[in-house]
Amino acid sequence: MEDKQNTSVKNASEEAFDVTGFFLECISYWKWFVASVVVLAVAVMFYCFRQTPVYEVTSAVYIQDNKGDNSNILLESLGLSSYKKNIDNEIEVLRSKNQITDVVEALNLYTSYSWNSFLRNVPLYEETPIEAVLDSIDVRSLKASLNIRIKPQNGVFHLEAKTRNVRGDEVEICNTTVETFPYSIPFHKGFIRLRYTGDTIPTVDKTLNISLSNPRSVSKSIAGNLTVAFASKDATILKVVYRTPVIKAGEDFIKTLVDFYNIDAAKQKNQGTEKTQQFIDARLDSISKDLSVVEARVEEYRRHNNLIDVSSEAKLYLEQTGFTDEKLAELELQKSLVDYVEKFLSIPQNEYMPIPALGIDDKDLAKLIGEYNKSLQQRERLLHSSSESNPVIVELTRDIQTQRSLVLKGVESIRKGVEIKKRDLSRQDKIIEDKIKNVPQYERELSDIMRQQRIKDNLYVFLLEKREENALAKSMTVPVARIIDDPDSTGEPVSPKKILLLCAAVLLGVLLPAFVIYLRMLLFPVLKDKKMLERLTSIPVLAEISKKPGNKFFVVEKKSVEPIAELFRLLRNNLQFVLTGPEKKVIAVTSSVMHEGKTFVSCNMALSFALTGKRVLLIGVDIRRPRLAQHFQMSNMRGVTTYLSGGDSDLSALIQSSGIDSNLDVLPAGPVPPNPNELLMSSRFEQLVDYARSHYDYVILDTAPLGMVSDSFLLARAIDVVIYVARANYTNKASIEMLNAWIDNKRINVPVYLILNDVNMNSRAYSYRQYGGGKYGYGYASSRSEHVIPWYKRLFRKSDS
């Protein structure tokens, strides 16, 4: 037996936590788990019933790339993706607060209606029997929402209207009884008119709730329920998802949102066209006046000089100079256009205004102006949903400045080229004039005047053509966004997710009691029962001792059928098997710390042996804290310490009768000495034990706790068996780990056995011991105390079965 203990003792300290014990503890409290799951499941079902179902309305929207190839090239030159980058920006514009607020106001979503149903409100949309019409109220200036409650009562309506002030306190606006509608409520420097919807009086048999809020606050709530993203990783089609309690409201919202997005896009796109139209109209008016003046000069010159027929020489001159004049007119037109562009860019107010498209012949400059105008349009669109500090806008502004510089350089370059060409043409024209020097002077003067007329006339016709082109481009604006999949819903609510919430409730219902049990085992790592003790060590458990009946100390008596007495008899029988020979008779009873019941066990165990007719000596070896003499009501002035110190030599004179049974004698510990260790190490201790062996059948030593002092380790040389007492719900698991270590390290080199004291025998773990319906002390589960426990306590009682 000793070898088995030394080789197979479990080292419980290797495990930081008793996992097996944790699962067994959870199983024993299975009622807690069932109750927790049921309570949380009912709470979740009640919560789901209270919540208004929310549906997902989805749609697919295709946004065209209205930036053009030049814009794509520009974005790629900045290190950005082209088309998808544009779409990313358009997503932010589509989800912007301004766009959503416009939709909220268009659909009147800032006014919500709902029936006050059982435990929850049922939202209404386009089906409300009574509607609220605003009269001269600026809803965007509302600081707090207005809640109106219309409750039918005996043919009339009880009307309540409440809001909140700047401090958040509730303010009552109206509290009255109304016989019929319409009815006006004064609110926010105006009136709210309540009237029946439609031409007939509807039936109102439930309480109707009406809420009026600021559209900006409503748009914030809607923005949180609106999702716009790419339909797939490689696609450029957007998937729009809107979560709403009313499917029809979601469908209308998505359609209206796309319509407002197209209106805004067209407005931004036509901004440059409007500026071009204004410029062309102004120039046409100015050129028309100049052309009238030139034509009048020609008419006056002909009339004054009687120029009815032109000579052949004049005709030849005009034919030769015609080509030169046309070229000069074209160059003058181009110079006028680039001068206007330069003047337009020099005005500070036009810093972020698009340059009017005038048809400049130079393709490079026209391309630069087109890229510059598209960049300005993109910046204007982004500013509607973001600020100038946005990194994308900052980068785009920097690129616009660069493009402006390039445009100015292009203007300067074209002007220089025009001047060079004009000088060349003038030189050629002078040569022709020298050849026709015989032409009369008035013909030359007429030619100069007509040249000016042709220039003005060509410019006028050009501007007329451009005005028509601009008007045509304005009228042919194509919508940017197009719905390719109409808004629709599956009809299944996405919130609250009942199955998911129920699964979470079941999981939480299991985890919550498990966490409590784990926390209790972690914070209070004490022994619970014999099963836990056997998991921690392989030291044999001889017996379990139940709780003491009241304050009674000596529980073993003749003819006693108390359960605890039967358990001590069981302990006595098991000890007789352990003490394998007549020479094995010295038993040391110890524990880890105080209050574990070692003195109680040693005294009653000694009584149990004495009742069988055996001579038993109970020795108090706990000389630091003696208690035997107190329990047996005898003097402690003489005892073990006086003998070990040499003060007394006659052991027979120190041994006293217990006064309880004639076969039980007691040797008290004696006075507390100053050197307990030295006394226990003396040879007189072996003499004391030898004397007891020779005069008694059993010798039981009540020793000091092993976990507090080292006295009991000194007794191992003279004893045969160690009984280690552990107390249920008191002894720490670390004490058993220390005991395992002491045995492994050979500090205790005699057989050790365990006794679990203070066990709750009413636990169901001991119901298997019933014998005779409890008559002989083993019917603990069927005792009367079980039937007087209230049902709610029995429900949450630990079940150890």
Side-chain angles (χ1 to χ4, degrees):
M1 181 70 69
E2 181 179 355
D3 294 339
K4 179 181 178 181
Q5 287 183 1
N6 292 335
T7 57
S8 63
V9 171
K10 297 178 183 177
N11 186 7
S13 61
E14 294 178 356
E15 295 185 3
F17 183 74
D18 186 6
V19 178
T20 305
F22 170 73
F23 283 108
L24 292 176
E25 192 80 359
C26 291
I27 294 173
S28 66
Y29 285 100
W30 64 270
K31 293 180 181 178
W32 285 23
F33 287 88
V34 173
S36 176
V37 169
V38 170
V39 169
L40 289 176
V42 171
V44 165
M45 293 300 295
F46 181 74
Y47 168 79
C48 293
F49 183 79
R50 287 289 309 272
Q51 296 299 309
T52 302
V54 177
Y55 304 89
E56 274 191 357
V57 179
T58 60
S59 176
V61 178
Y62 172 67
I63 297 183
Q64 299 178 9
D65 181 18
N66 61 342
K67 304 300 179 183
D69 296 336
N70 294 334
S71 176
N72 291 342
I73 295 172
L74 174 61
L75 287 171
E76 290 173 357
S77 66
L78 296 175
L80 305 173
S81 61
S82 55
Y83 182 45
K84 275 218 168 184
K85 191 62 182 179
N86 293 336
I87 300 300
D88 286 336
N89 295 333
E90 299 307 312
I91 289 176
E92 296 302 320
V93 174
L94 192 63
R95 295 183 69 253
S96 65
K97 296 294 191 301
N98 291 339
Q99 293 277 7
I100 297 177
T101 302
D102 292 340
V103 177
V104 169
E105 292 180 341
L107 297 178
N108 197 22
L109 296 181
Y110 53 84
T111 306
S112 62
Y113 305 87
S114 64
W115 289 121
N116 191 6
S117 183
F118 178 66
L119 294 180
R120 71 178 180 186
N121 293 332
V122 179
L124 300 174
Y125 179 74
E126 296 182 348
E127 298 177 355
T128 175
I130 300 174
E131 63 178 353
V133 181
L134 306 185
D135 183 11
S136 67
I137 295 179
D138 182 11
V139 290
R140 290 206 180 192
S141 63
L142 294 180
K143 302 298 182 182
S145 61
L146 175 67
N147 298 313
I148 303 174
R149 181 183 176 94
I150 304 174
K151 185 177 182 180
Q153 292 181 347
N154 301 324
V156 296
F157 300 96
H158 181 247
L159 179 63
E160 291 182 3
K162 297 180 180 179
T163 185
R164 294 188 180 274
N165 55 21
V166 292
R167 296 189 301 271
D169 301 327
E170 191 174 68
V171 178
E172 189 173 77
I173 303 297
C174 177
N175 190 349
T176 185
T177 300
V178 180
E179 294 184 358
T180 186
F181 294 97
Y183 184 83
S184 297
I185 301 175
F187 178 68
H188 200 68
K189 301 178 181 179
F191 291 91
I192 296 178
R193 191 164 177 261
L194 301 177
R195 67 184 184 186
Y196 291 118
T197 304
D199 299 330
T200 59
I201 299 178
T203 302
V204 181
D205 54 358
K206 291 181 290 187
T207 301
L208 178 66
N209 297 322
I210 303 176
S211 179
L212 176 66
S213 305
N214 190 313
R216 296 293 295 180
S217 62
V218 176
S219 66
K220 291 179 182 178
S221 175
I222 291 178
N225 296 322
L226 178 65
T227 303
V228 182
F230 289 104
S232 63
K233 182 178 180 181
D234 299 325
T236 54
I237 296 176
L238 301 182
K239 181 180 180 182
V240 182
V241 180
Y242 178 51
R243 296 165 65 106
T244 175
V246 182
I247 297 177
K248 182 64 170 57
E251 295 173 351
D252 292 347
F253 174 81
I254 293 178
K255 292 178 181 178
T256 309
L257 180 65
V258 174
D259 291 341
F260 272 86
Y261 172 81
N262 284 328
I263 292 173
D264 180 71
K267 181 179 178 182
Q268 296 298 326
K269 187 175 182 180
N270 289 332
Q271 185 176 9
T273 308
E274 293 290 344
K275 293 296 180 181
T276 302
Q277 181 73 28
Q278 295 174 9
F279 169 76
I280 291 176
D281 291 340
R283 292 296 297 161
L284 280 174
D285 184 64
S286 175
I287 294 174
S288 178
K289 295 177 181 179
D290 295 342
L291 189 58
S292 299
V293 173
V294 173
E295 289 176 346
R297 287 181 62 191
V298 172
E299 182 179 355
E300 177 65 23
Y301 190 85
R302 286 181 179 274
R303 185 172 59 250
H304 181 269
N305 295 286
N306 295 320
L307 294 178
I308 300 173
D309 190 16
V310 181
S311 63
S312 301
E313 194 172 356
K315 289 182 179 179
L316 179 61
Y317 168 75
L318 293 175
E319 289 175 356
Q320 292 177 343
T321 58
F323 178 78
T324 305
D325 293 339
E326 290 178 359
K327 288 296 182 180
L328 287 173
E330 291 178 2
L331 292 175
E332 189 65 26
L333 174 62
Q334 292 298 315
K335 183 176 182 297
S336 176
L337 293 178
V338 297
D339 287 342
Y340 171 76
V341 171
E342 184 178 30
K343 180 179 179 182
F344 182 88
L345 293 177
S346 64
I347 299 175
Q349 291 80 359
N350 296 336
E351 183 178 4
Y352 295 109
M353 301 300 294
I355 301 173
L358 302 176
I360 296 176
D361 292 341
D362 190 88
K363 294 182 179 180
D364 294 334
L365 181 59
K367 180 178 178 181
L368 286 174
I369 293 175
E371 292 176 357
Y372 177 82
N373 290 340
K374 290 181 178 64
S375 298
L376 288 178
Q377 291 178 8
Q378 184 178 3
R379 181 180 182 274
E380 184 69 19
R381 291 289 303 281
L382 293 177
L383 283 176
H384 279 275
S385 58
S386 182
S387 64
E388 293 185 354
S389 60
N390 188 301
V392 176
I393 296 179
V394 172
E395 183 67 23
L396 191 56
T397 303
R398 188 180 299 113
D399 184 71
I400 289 172
Q401 299 298 331
T402 302
Q403 291 178 346
R404 178 188 288 267
S405 300
L406 294 176
V407 170
L408 290 174
K409 291 180 180 180
V411 168
E412 185 64 25
S413 176
I414 292 175
R415 183 186 291 109
K416 291 180 179 179
V418 169
E419 293 296 333
I420 294 173
K421 290 180 180 180
K422 284 180 63 179
R423 287 197 297 270
D424 293 341
L425 289 175
S426 297
R427 189 183 306 110
Q428 295 176 8
D429 190 54
K430 189 175 184 304
I431 295 172
I432 295 173
E433 288 181 352
D434 291 338
K435 291 181 180 179
I436 57 173
K437 56 184 178 180
N438 296 324
V439 177
Q441 180 179 358
Y442 59 84
E443 289 290 347
R444 292 196 302 272
E445 293 175 353
L446 179 62
S447 176
D448 291 336
I449 297 173
M450 294 183 67
R451 182 186 298 114
Q452 296 179 14
Q453 180 187 14
R454 284 194 298 272
I455 292 173
K456 299 294 183 182
D457 187 62
N458 290 339
L459 184 58
Y460 187 83
V461 173
F462 172 78
L463 290 176
L464 286 176
E465 293 175 353
K466 287 300 177 182
R467 185 171 66 177
E468 292 300 321
E469 292 177 2
N470 191 70
L472 183 62
K474 183 178 178 181
S475 63
M476 295 181 61
T477 301
V478 180
V480 178
R482 179 165 53 94
I483 295 178
I484 61 175
D485 190 1
D486 291 335
D488 194 11
S489 175
T490 60
E492 294 294 330
V494 296
S495 176
K497 298 182 181 296
K498 297 181 180 179
I499 300 300
L500 182 61
L501 289 176
L502 277 177
C503 293
V506 172
L507 180 62
L508 185 61
V510 173
L511 293 179
L512 191 61
F515 176 74
V516 173
I517 293 173
Y518 171 79
L519 200 62
R520 189 179 67 174
M521 293 182 67
L522 198 65
L523 297 178
F524 307 101
V526 295
L527 296 174
K528 303 292 292 185
D529 49 31
K530 181 181 177 181
K531 294 179 181 178
M532 184 178 293
L533 182 59
E534 289 175 341
R535 287 196 303 271
L536 295 175
T537 181
S538 60
I539 301 174
V541 181
L542 286 183
E544 298 170 275
I545 306 300
S546 65
K547 292 180 176 292
K548 291 188 296 183
N551 294 324
K552 190 175 182 180
F553 185 79
F554 295 103
V555 297
V556 177
E557 299 174 350
K558 287 184 178 181
K559 301 181 181 180
S560 173
V561 294
E562 289 292 329
I564 192 170
E566 292 293 339
L567 291 173
F568 271 106
R569 294 187 184 103
L570 180 62
L571 170 61
R572 179 190 65 199
N573 294 336
N574 290 338
L575 271 174
Q576 288 175 343
F577 284 103
V578 170
L579 302 174
T580 55
E583 72 282 358
K584 303 288 186 180
K585 58 176 63 177
V586 180
I587 305 169
V589 181
T590 186
S591 64
S592 302
V593 293
M594 296 186 299
H595 306 301
E596 290 181 313
K598 63 175 183 59
T599 302
F600 168 74
V601 170
S602 60
C603 292
N604 284 277
M605 185 173 63
L607 265 175
S608 179
F609 278 108
L611 290 176
T612 62
K614 301 293 184 179
R615 292 278 296 163
V616 181
L617 176 61
L618 180 59
I619 304 175
V621 193
D622 188 357
I623 59 179
R624 296 177 186 265
R625 193 172 177 270
R627 287 290 183 271
L628 277 183
Q630 177 182 346
H631 290 300
F632 285 96
Q633 298 180 357
M634 58 180 59
S635 174
N636 195 45
M637 298 303 297
R638 301 171 63 197
V640 174
T641 57
T642 58
Y643 176 77
L644 294 180
S645 63
D648 288 310
S649 300
D650 187 5
L651 278 173
S652 60
L654 298 177
I655 296 174
Q656 306 177 45
S657 176
S658 66
I660 298 176
D661 190 277
S662 58
N663 291 324
L664 176 60
D665 292 336
V666 178
L667 176 58
V672 178
N675 55 344
N677 266 99
E678 287 75 6
L679 290 181
L680 294 176
M681 292 175 62
S682 68
S683 60
R684 293 179 67 87
F685 178 74
E686 283 92 339
Q687 297 173 11
L688 186 152
V689 175
D690 291 341
Y691 175 85
R693 285 178 182 273
S694 60
H695 290 82
Y696 291 91
D697 297 319
Y698 293 101
V699 180
I700 299 176
L701 280 64
D702 179 28
T703 67
L706 283 175
M708 301 183 68
V709 294
S710 61
D711 297 354
S712 299
F713 290 107
L714 304 174
L715 310 181
R717 66 186 188 276
I719 61 178
D720 300 321
V721 172
V722 174
I723 301 298
Y724 198 92
V725 178
R727 183 178 175 183
N729 297 310
Y730 183 83
T731 301
N732 197 294
K733 295 178 182 179
S735 300
I736 305 303
E737 296 173 4
M738 287 192 300
L739 178 61
N740 291 333
W742 291 332
I743 294 176
D744 288 341
N745 298 333
K746 305 298 182 180
R747 293 192 66 183
I748 302 177
N749 55 6
V750 295
V752 180
Y753 299 92
L754 288 169
I755 292 178
L756 186 60
N757 186 32
D758 201 28
V759 174
N760 181 14
M761 303 305 289
N762 288 326
S763 172
R764 294 186 181 181
Y766 301 94
S767 61
Y768 68 92
R769 298 188 184 188
Q770 294 182 8
Y771 178 74
K775 180 178 179 181
Y776 296 99
Y778 287 84
Y780 310 115
S782 60
S783 63
R784 186 176 303 173
S785 61
E786 177 73 15
H787 301 285
V788 299
I789 299 176
W791 66 270
Y792 57 87
K793 289 187 177 181
R794 293 199 305 272
L795 178 63
F796 296 106
R797 221 179 94 191
K798 178 182 177 182
S799 175
D800 293 327
S801 58

